[in-house]
């Protein structure tokens, strides 16, 4: 145990080793500081040593300093007991099923009686050998023990023997007493249950997905026996395999020494051992097949239970739901959607006044547009083609339509060809009309178009 920082301070330790005043009200500060010191030191000492039970005799030996023991430890134990930080083993075990007392480790039967008798006789002192359980530490050990079990190879086995559990929890529980206290706490929490089978203590753990452990049933006992048989057969098969290998090595050694007959006897023995191992291995495979079927049946049972729970939940959720009601709700929703569409259409059409006449407004707007046009005093542009007085009108849609289309391809004509073609040209009636129009446009341009 690591000593507290005040351990080397003689003046401070002399005060802490002194006995408590009978009346706390005489000096409340000193009384409380001394009580807090020893309470924390006791819990830390138990935690460092990996134990959950303490006694006055153990504390006197643990905190002995300069051939002296603290005088107020009995008062500290009584105060911690009243506050619920520690509890007598008899009281701790009494809160668990009485079946525990039938398989307990002995200290739960004899030693608590001394405390009970001293209490009934009115003794004010604490017996030296009376054992107390530190509640905080035993809860931590119980949680750690459950974690170790669920992370081990035994997690698939719901039932373990007490010896197997002792070997599994050797790194968690310092001794058998600590393991028993942790199991008591787990049983109080409904996480384990303990029973006897053929004089052997067995422990059943709560499996993942379960809120509390179920009692040990005949099915559990059957599975436990099969698992024990599997383990024993596996150990025997492994042992026979080692024996066969040993016979083979002996035969090889004898053969080197020239002892051929003895080597043959060793090989015959090896064959017999291998045959026994094969028979045991066949039995082992049969047991493993049965265990696999049991595990599969448990899985199937869990799935069926889940189906039943889901069916019940679905039935409850559809209790007030019918096809007629669903159709009625759909019809009502469709009517509401149609109403909403009509409202949106009415809103988007805008608001009109009944006093206004649309036709009159359009006529008024047309007259305003005509009045707003500027008067230039020029004549209107003729719609028909222009022609000289006495000249007949051209067939077709006008002068411009009678003209040939403008060529869009690139001209590849030489100057000599153009001059030759020009000399051959003669003026036609259409050409005369075009020249007349062009001369008229040059003389009076404003007579053709009006702004």
């Amino acid at each position: 145990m690591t000593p507290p920082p005040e351990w080397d301070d003689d003046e401070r330790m002399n005060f802490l080793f002194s006995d408590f005043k009978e009346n706390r009200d005489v000096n409340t500060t000193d009384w409380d500081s001394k009580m807090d010191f020893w309470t924390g030191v006791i819990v830390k000492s138990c935690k460092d040593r990996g134990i959950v039970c303490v006694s006055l005799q153990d504390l006197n030996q643990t905190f002995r300093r300069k051939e002296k023991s603290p005088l107020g430890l009995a008062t500290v134990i009584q105060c911690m007991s009243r506050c619920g930080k520690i509890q007598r083993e008899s009281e701790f075990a009494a809160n668990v099923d009485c079946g525990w007392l039938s398989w307990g480790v002995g200290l739960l039967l004899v030693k608590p009686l001394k405390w009970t008798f001293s209490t009934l006789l009115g003794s004010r002192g604490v017996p030296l050998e009376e054992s107390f359980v530190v509640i905080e530490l035993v809860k931590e050990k119980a949680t750690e023990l459950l974690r170790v079990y669920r992370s081990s190879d035994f997690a698939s086995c719901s039932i373990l023997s007490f010896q197997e559990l002792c070997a599994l929890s050797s790194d968690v529980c310092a001794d058998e007493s600590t393991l028993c206290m942790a199991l008591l706490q787990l049983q109080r929490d409904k996480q384990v249950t303990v029973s006897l089978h053929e004089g052997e203590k067995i422990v059943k753990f709560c499996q993942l997905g379960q809120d509390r452990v179920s009692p040990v049933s005949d099915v559990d006992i059957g599975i436990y026996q099969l698992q024990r048989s599997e383990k024993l057969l596996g150990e025997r098969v492994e042992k026979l395999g080692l024996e066969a290998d040993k016979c083979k090595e002996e035969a090889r050694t004898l053969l080197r020494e020239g002892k051929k007959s003895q080597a043959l006897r060793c090989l015959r023995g090896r064959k017999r051992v291998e045959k026994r191992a094969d028979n045991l291995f066949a039995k082992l495979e049969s047991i493993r097949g049965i265990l696999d079927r049991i595990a599969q049946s448990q899985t199937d049972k869990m799935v069926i239970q889940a189906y039943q729970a889901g069916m019940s939940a679905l039935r409850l959720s559809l209790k007030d739901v019918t096809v007629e009601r669903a159709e009625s709700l759909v019809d009502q929703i469709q009517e509401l959607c149609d109403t909403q569409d009509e409202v949106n259409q009415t809103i988007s059409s805008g608001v009109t006044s009944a006093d206004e006449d649309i036709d009159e407004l359009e006529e008024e707007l047309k007259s305003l547009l005509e009045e707003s046009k500027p008067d230039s005093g020029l004549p209107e542009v003729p719609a028909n083609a222009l022609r000289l007085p006495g000249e007949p009108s051209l067939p077709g849609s006008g002068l411009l339509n009678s003209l040939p289309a403008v060529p869009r391809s690139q001209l590849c004509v030489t100057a000599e060809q153009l001059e030759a073609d020009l000399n051959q040209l003669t003026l036609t009636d259409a050409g005369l009309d075009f020249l007349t129009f062009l001369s008229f446009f040059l003389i009076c341009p404003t007579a053709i178009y009006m702004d």
Side-chain angles (χ1 to χ4, degrees), residues 92-134:
F92 189 77
N95 294 328
V96 188
D97 296 339
C98 62
W100 276 89
L101 300 179
S102 64
W103 71 273
V105 292
L107 54 87
L108 297 178
L109 290 175
V110 180
K111 294 180 180 179
L113 295 178
K114 297 180 180 179
W115 171 267
T116 305
F117 291 152
S118 64
T119 303
L120 294 176
L121 294 175
S123 175
R124 298 179 58 189
V126 177
L128 291 176
E129 297 181 356
E130 179 65 42
S131 183
F132 294 85
V133 180
V134 183

Side-chain angles (χ1 to χ4, degrees), residues 220-285:
D220 296 328
I221 296 297
I223 295 175
Y224 174 68
Q225 290 177 342
L226 285 174
Q227 290 173 346
R228 286 187 61 188
S229 300
E230 179 189 14
K231 183 179 179 181
L232 292 175
L233 287 176
E235 292 175 354
R236 290 182 182 179
V237 170
E238 184 178 359
K239 185 177 180 180
L240 289 175
L242 295 175
E243 186 177 350
D245 293 339
K246 183 179 179 181
C247 292
K248 183 178 180 180
E249 291 297 328
E250 290 179 357
R252 184 180 288 111
T253 303
L254 292 172
L255 189 61
R256 291 196 191 102
E257 294 175 356
K259 301 176 181 180
K260 185 176 180 180
S261 60
Q262 296 180 6
L264 289 175
R265 285 196 297 269
C266 289
L267 290 178
R268 291 191 188 99
R270 175 174 174 265
K271 291 294 183 181
R272 290 193 298 269
V273 171
E274 288 180 348
K275 185 176 181 180
R276 291 170 53 193
D278 292 339
N279 293 332
L280 291 179
F281 186 77
K283 297 177 182 179
L284 178 61
E285 287 297 315

Side-chain angles (χ1 to χ4, degrees), residues 321-357:
V321 178
T322 60
V323 177
E324 293 78 7
R325 186 177 180 183
E327 291 177 351
S328 177
L329 290 175
V330 171
D331 293 339
Q332 293 178 14
I333 293 173
Q334 186 62 42
E335 292 178 0
L336 292 175
C337 292
D338 295 340
T339 303
Q340 184 183 15
D341 294 339
E342 293 177 358
V343 171
N344 292 334
Q345 184 177 2
T346 302
I347 293 174
S348 61
S349 62
V351 180
T352 58
S353 175
D355 297 334
E356 295 179 354
D357 190 353

Side-chain angles (χ1 to χ4, degrees), residues 330-398:
V330 171
D331 293 339
Q332 293 178 14
I333 293 173
Q334 186 62 42
E335 292 178 0
L336 292 175
C337 292
D338 295 340
T339 303
Q340 184 183 15
D341 294 339
E342 293 177 358
V343 171
N344 292 334
Q345 184 177 2
T346 302
I347 293 174
S348 61
S349 62
V351 180
T352 58
S353 175
D355 297 334
E356 295 179 354
D357 190 353
I358 301 300
D359 296 335
E360 294 181 358
L361 293 176
E362 290 180 354
E363 292 294 335
E364 184 177 358
L365 180 60
K366 185 177 180 180
S367 61
L368 290 174
L369 289 175
E370 293 177 354
E371 293 177 358
S372 61
K373 291 182 180 180
D375 188 7
S376 59
L378 298 175
E380 294 182 356
V381 178
N384 299 325
L386 297 177
R387 61 180 184 275
L388 296 175
E391 184 180 4
S393 60
L394 293 174
S397 58

Side-chain angles (χ1 to χ4, degrees), residues 67 157 173 195 216 241 262 293 315 333 390 434:
E67 305 300 327
C157 305
C173 301
S195 62
V216 179
Q262 296 180 6
R293 288 180 178 274
R315 182 182 291 111
I333 293 173
F434 178 73

